[in-house]
């Protein structure tokens, strides 16, 4: 019988998988904005406003600048959350890290945790414009389009690792 060796914590995996999940979430947020009848640039302007302040919502900040700043901020935050997930992944049971269903559950719960911190803690104190969007959809989007893809990427990385044979008694 083979067992997996413990996955070492990986800053690279955390950064890359966080950015990949951030791209998925950005695309999903854009689709949600369009489905709600809003401009596809509303989500990036909201994120750009984290750095630029409320002028990001006005013509004072060009769409190109808002997109550049918004995407940069979003992907840096997503990369940071990817590093946090990498630390969490390193603490998971070795036999669970390579199982899709286990990682999917952990990843979706992690996405909900990210929503809780970003929207319910930080936005309430500093970025209230994020509270103007439907929060239930944000919970679902963060679970499905951020936590789940990140978890699946970590699962694939774990499954690529060579199993090590169990020592014989």
């Amino acid at each position: 019988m083979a067992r997996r060796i413990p996955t070492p914590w990986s800053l690279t995996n955390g950064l890359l998988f966080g950015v990949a999940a951030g791209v998925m979430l950005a695309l999903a947020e854009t689709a949600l904005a369009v489905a709600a009848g809003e401009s596809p640039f509303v989500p990036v302007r909201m994120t750009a406003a984290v750095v630029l302040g409320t002028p990001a919502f006005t013509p004072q900040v060009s769409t190109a600048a808002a997109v550049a700043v918004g995407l940069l901020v979003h992907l840096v935050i997503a990369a940071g959350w990817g590093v946090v997930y990498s630390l969490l992944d390193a603490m998971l049971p070795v036999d669970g890290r390579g199982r899709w269903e286990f990682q999917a559950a952990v990843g979706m719960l992690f996405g909900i945790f990210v929503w809780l911190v970003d929207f319910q803690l930080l936005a309430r104190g500093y970025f209230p414009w994020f509270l103007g969007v439907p929060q239930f959809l944000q919970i679902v989007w963060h679970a499905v389009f951020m936590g789940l893809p990140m978890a699946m990427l970590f699962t694939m990385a774990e499954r690529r690792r060579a199993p090590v044979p169990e020592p014989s008694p």
Side-chain angles (χ1 to χ4, degrees), residues 44-96:
V44 291
R45 283 192 178 274
M46 291 174 78
T47 306
V50 168
V51 172
L52 303 175
T54 55
F57 298 110
T58 67
Q60 181 180 353
V61 175
S62 71
T63 300
V67 168
V69 171
L71 284 176
L72 179 67
V73 169
H74 178 77
L75 294 178
V76 166
I77 292 170
W81 281 118
V83 171
V84 172
Y85 191 89
S86 185
L87 290 168
L88 172 67
D89 187 65
M91 292 186 286
L92 294 175
V94 176
D95 64 337

Side-chain angles (χ1 to χ4, degrees), residues 78-161:
W81 281 118
V83 171
V84 172
Y85 191 89
S86 185
L87 290 168
L88 172 67
D89 187 65
M91 292 186 286
L92 294 175
V94 176
D95 64 337
R97 281 185 241 158
R99 290 186 12 233
W100 298 105
E101 70 283 357
F102 179 79
Q103 280 275 22
V106 171
M108 291 177 78
L109 287 171
F110 183 78
I112 292 169
F113 174 74
V114 169
W115 166 82
L116 182 68
V117 171
D118 288 352
F119 280 74
Q120 298 307 307
L121 295 177
L122 295 175
R124 286 197 185 280
Y126 303 102
F127 315 114
W129 50 87
F130 285 112
L131 300 174
V133 296
Q135 293 302 297
F136 179 74
L137 286 175
Q138 289 302 315
I139 294 170
V140 173
W141 257 227
H142 279 74
V144 173
F145 296 108
M146 187 198 187
L148 184 59
M150 197 175 323
M152 295 300 95
L153 289 168
F154 275 97
T155 305
M156 287 190 308
E158 180 68 22
R159 286 177 155 243
R160 282 193 302 263
R161 297 171 55 80

